[in-house]
Amino acid sequence: MELVNFDEHNALLVIGNGFDLDLGLKASYKDFVNNELCDGEGRFPFVKGGHNGMLGEYIFRATNIDKWFDLENILAEFACQSSIPSSVGIDSIRDDYRSLKQALQQYLKSIDVSASDKESSACKIIKALSGFTIMPPEVYTFNYTDFSRICESLDVHGFGRENYVHGSLEGDIVFGVGDSFSLSRDLSFLYKTNNPEYRSSCLQDALETSDVVVIFGLSLSEIDYPYFNDFFRHVSEGKFVKRKYIRIFTYDETSKRDIMYNLRQMNKGLIKMFSYSDFDIVMTKEGCDQKKIDEVIEFLSKT
């Protein structure tokens, strides 16, 4: 199996919410729920004693009482429950869903990406990647924030095409439930794939053809399986002629364990992944993996 040839390299960057958080941007669902912006400018739409529908009340309880901030999984749990009364109007649920999505989009638009941390690991990694001048790295983002504006604020240039897997703030964000969940016909509007802005993605092809794959801030959870399952299985089966360089960046030991668990679920183990590729998971929390981060930056800078 050949090693990466830097005369013919092909690099891919895939980013998730952890990328924005590493830059210091308040782009988490928790930040959205707890923000104090005025109505109409991104304020969380469900409040105690408010005119919440059944979905709104469910989300309010989950986020404000149970302190659960994964809004997409809250939506999925709500939609999959069997206790939704037949008397509850689907239109009311649809209205709550639209209010939530619109408020989230407005909130994310209000974030000042010019405040991105230039000393963050995320910034250092994309600076190193941007030096791939022969074939500029392609970017696939699962975030809604504008990657170009973030790069501009960090004075980073040199990336190729940007692909927004779930829509962007310039259009309608693709926010909802993954296809792995089984919803009733009446609630199928909650599926991400039912959103008119959902588009075909060449991410799987890009993963297969790239020699260098950097994944930053994506949990690789069950929702992400459809995008990555084939790729990681093929790596584990030794199907690629070139030995791929794969680095997954996550925050701490807990999130690293979660990713390793999810990858084992995809591949029935990780031993062959390590055998057939140059693979590692790197933690960005201060004091964890600084030596590994430096080694990745050095490797990516060899253009």
Side-chain angles (χ1 to χ4, degrees):
M1 182 176 289
E2 299 179 14
L3 297 177
V4 173
N5 182 343
F6 278 93
D7 291 330
E8 301 175 353
H9 62 259
N10 185 5
L12 171 67
L13 172 65
V14 182
I15 59 175
N17 188 242
F19 176 83
D20 286 358
L21 299 182
D22 193 75
L23 290 170
L25 303 178
K26 293 186 176 297
S28 71
Y29 288 142
K30 182 176 181 179
D31 292 322
F32 165 54
V33 171
N34 292 333
N35 86 85
E36 298 180 350
L37 297 174
C38 298
D39 290 335
E41 295 295 333
R43 187 182 181 93
F44 185 63
F46 310 123
V47 297
K48 184 176 181 179
H51 298 292
N52 306 327
M54 186 177 183
L55 174 58
E57 193 61 33
Y58 189 93
I59 295 173
F60 172 80
R61 175 171 290 277
T63 53
N64 287 272
I65 298 176
D66 298 336
K67 300 302 178 184
W68 184 22
F69 296 104
D70 190 335
L71 293 179
E72 291 188 339
N73 275 317
I74 292 172
L75 276 177
E77 184 181 85
F78 171 85
C80 290
Q81 66 178 317
S82 58
S83 58
I84 299 177
S86 57
S87 59
V88 173
I90 297 300
D91 287 344
S92 171
I93 296 174
R94 193 191 303 270
D95 288 343
D96 281 349
Y97 164 67
R98 285 174 175 166
S99 295
L100 179 66
K101 189 175 72 167
Q102 289 169 2
L104 174 61
Q105 183 160 352
Q106 288 300 314
Y107 171 72
L108 293 174
K109 281 184 176 180
S110 75
I111 295 175
D112 181 12
V113 298
S114 67
S116 299
D117 182 4
K118 294 185 178 181
E119 297 303 315
S120 64
S121 296
C123 177
K124 292 174 182 177
I125 292 299
I126 64 172
K127 277 190 174 181
L129 265 175
S130 68
F132 278 45
T133 54
I134 298 174
M135 191 177 297
E138 196 168 2
V139 181
Y140 278 82
T141 173
F142 284 76
N143 300 335
Y144 305 121
T145 45
D146 190 325
F147 181 77
S148 290
R149 287 181 57 209
I150 289 174
C151 285
E152 185 178 337
S153 74
L154 297 171
D155 196 27
V156 174
H157 311 280
F159 281 93
R161 185 176 60 173
E162 300 164 17
N163 305 274
Y164 291 85
V165 180
H166 291 153
S168 71
L169 298 179
E170 296 304 313
D172 184 22
I173 63 174
V174 179
F175 170 77
V177 177
D179 278 4
S180 59
F181 296 95
S182 180
L183 307 187
S184 69
R185 184 187 299 272
D186 287 342
L187 295 178
S188 62
F189 62 86
L190 294 173
Y191 281 125
K192 289 180 179 178
T193 47
N194 270 18
N195 189 305
E197 291 295 316
Y198 191 88
R199 296 287 186 268
S200 296
S201 169
C202 294
L203 174 56
Q204 292 172 335
D205 291 337
L207 287 164
E208 300 268 335
T209 58
S210 297
D211 302 318
V212 175
V213 176
V214 176
I215 300 174
F216 201 119
L218 195 65
S219 65
L220 297 176
S221 64
E222 184 179 356
I223 294 175
D224 304 319
Y225 276 15
Y227 298 99
F228 297 95
N229 190 50
D230 288 347
F231 169 67
F232 284 116
R233 189 179 71 253
H234 291 165
V235 172
S236 298
E237 293 171 350
K239 288 193 173 183
F240 299 111
V241 175
K242 288 186 179 180
R243 183 180 175 86
K244 290 180 180 288
Y245 180 91
I246 303 170
R247 288 298 182 272
I248 300 175
F249 287 85
T250 191
Y251 180 62
D252 59 9
E253 187 67 41
T254 300
S255 58
K256 178 179 179 178
R257 284 198 302 267
D258 288 343
I259 288 174
M260 294 184 76
Y261 175 83
N262 294 335
L263 288 174
R264 287 191 182 98
Q265 295 299 105
M266 289 189 212
N267 301 283
K268 299 180 180 179
L270 285 175
I271 293 176
K272 290 186 177 181
M273 176 121 35
F274 283 96
S275 298
Y276 288 122
S277 68
D278 186 340
F279 171 82
D280 204 359
I281 300 176
V282 182
M283 295 176 287
T284 58
K285 184 178 180 181
E286 187 175 356
C288 288
D289 276 341
Q290 188 57 52
K291 182 179 179 181
K292 285 187 177 182
I293 294 172
D294 292 341
E295 289 172 350
V296 175
I297 292 172
E298 182 181 1
F299 177 85
L300 295 177
S301 299
K302 294 178 181 178
T303 58

